[in-house]
Amino acid sequence: MNSAEDQHISTSRTIVVTGAGSGIGRAVTQRMLKSGWNVVLAGRRGAQLQQSAQGHPQALVITTDVTDPQAVEELANAAVARFGKIDVLFNNAGIFGPATNIGELTQEQWQQVCAVNLSGAMYCAGAAFRHMQESGGGRIINNGSISAQVPRPASVAYAVTKHAITGLTKSIELDGRPYGITCSQIDIGNTASDMMADVGANSGALQADGSRKVEPSFNIDQAAAAIEFMASAPANVSINNMTITAAGMPFIGRG
């Protein structure tokens, strides 16, 4: 890498994106790289992370299991070692989990969803928070879901963990004030992604009345644009929560 590239990297802002190998994580990664950010890509599948990075000189790929606290600490340390600081964490890694009600949910299924969606989010936020304390501030953006507001049927584990993300977001926002750390939550509904295909939005998603309905979706890059807007806000602006959905989807008035 030449000195001009080194200088550009040193003056660019840095975002860590978990779950960067696919879906919204990939879209955010590629959008931020195009906008001149340094991007640290984290996820379990190295090959998919490399596909997201596309060999970009301002991308750093770190294969990471967010359910492993030590791996998360190593991720944060690697980000700081390469780029000097962490300006933003997009806390995005998550799984939908089983389509079941609480009476059918097994202990193993519950623990698996909690490990990724809740414990993983806590570990990543904590590691980023500590580095931001040392560097004088930063921003954490948690990927909630519209299920953090209104659940889908047969999604108890996912809905509970996403409701918990709201508590995490508010706690970080409050505790981060003395250190110049802000925390935001984005709740996204029905991007055209693999996760939405998994819940049947494209073929007929289960509704509260027991029927199935093909639901509208929107381009995933629009969600990435919203996250870029949040990440780029001035340090004295806190975007507490943003909800972005496909127009006409069964969210407002769901029930």
Side-chain angles (χ1 to χ4, degrees), residues 39 46 74 85 109-110 120 126 137 143 146 163 182 201 219 223 249:
V39 180
E74 292 170 2
K85 64 182 295 193
Q109 290 170 330
W110 167 244
N143 190 354
I146 58 167
H163 274 66
T182 60
N219 190 295
M249 71 164 291

Side-chain angles (χ1 to χ4, degrees), residues 1-245:
M1 186 177 296
N2 60 44
S3 58
E5 287 177 329
D6 281 335
Q7 178 64 24
H8 183 62
I9 286 172
S10 67
T11 58
S12 295
R13 298 179 72 193
T14 299
I15 183 170
V16 176
V17 179
T18 66
S22 62
I24 291 169
R26 174 172 288 185
V28 170
T29 291
Q30 294 179 348
R31 187 176 187 93
M32 300 305 274
L33 286 170
K34 288 178 183 176
S35 295
W37 285 64
N38 305 318
V39 180
V40 182
L41 295 78
R44 290 177 298 173
R45 294 167 290 188
Q48 286 192 284
L49 295 175
Q50 295 291 351
Q51 290 171 4
S52 295
Q54 297 179 331
H56 197 289
Q58 288 176 247
L60 174 65
V61 170
I62 305 291
T63 304
T64 307
D65 180 355
V66 299
T67 69
D68 180 349
Q70 183 59 42
V72 170
E73 289 296 329
E74 292 170 2
L75 164 68
N77 290 339
V80 172
R82 178 70 179 89
F83 296 123
K85 64 182 295 193
I86 298 170
D87 295 288
V88 178
L89 165 68
F90 179 39
N91 213 359
N92 169 65
I95 58 175
F96 191 76
T100 187
N101 64 42
I102 193 167
E104 299 167 347
L105 184 71
T106 68
Q107 179 180 350
E108 291 75 17
Q109 290 170 330
W110 167 244
Q111 291 177 342
Q112 180 184 32
V113 176
C114 280
V116 178
N117 292 5
L118 189 50
S119 295
M122 291 280 289
Y123 300 149
C124 292
F129 191 98
R130 288 185 284 276
H131 281 286
M132 291 173 182
Q133 281 180 295
E134 294 176 0
S135 64
R139 188 181 305 273
I140 295 170
I141 303 172
N142 292 324
N143 190 354
S145 166
I146 58 167
S147 288
Q149 303 179 40
V150 183
R152 286 184 176 275
S155 66
V156 60
Y158 184 76
V160 169
T161 55
K162 290 302 184 178
H163 274 66
I165 291 298
T166 302
L168 174 63
T169 300
K170 292 177 180 179
S171 293
I172 295 170
E173 171 67 20
L174 183 60
D175 294 343
R177 287 177 182 175
Y179 311 106
I181 301 169
T182 60
C183 192
S184 308
Q185 180 169 321
I186 186 164
D187 293 334
I188 304 170
N190 283 22
T191 58
S193 65
D194 291 342
M195 180 175 281
M196 285 301 97
D198 290 343
V199 301
N202 303 328
S203 57
L206 181 63
Q207 305 297 307
D209 63 2
S211 65
R212 290 192 174 271
K213 180 179 180 179
V214 175
E215 299 181 1
S217 61
F218 70 105
N219 190 295
I220 200 167
D221 194 54
Q222 292 300 311
I227 293 157
E228 182 183 15
F229 169 76
M230 298 169 81
S232 302
N236 65 344
V237 173
S238 180
I239 301 169
N240 302 128
N241 182 273
M242 180 185 292
T243 301
I244 179 170
T245 72

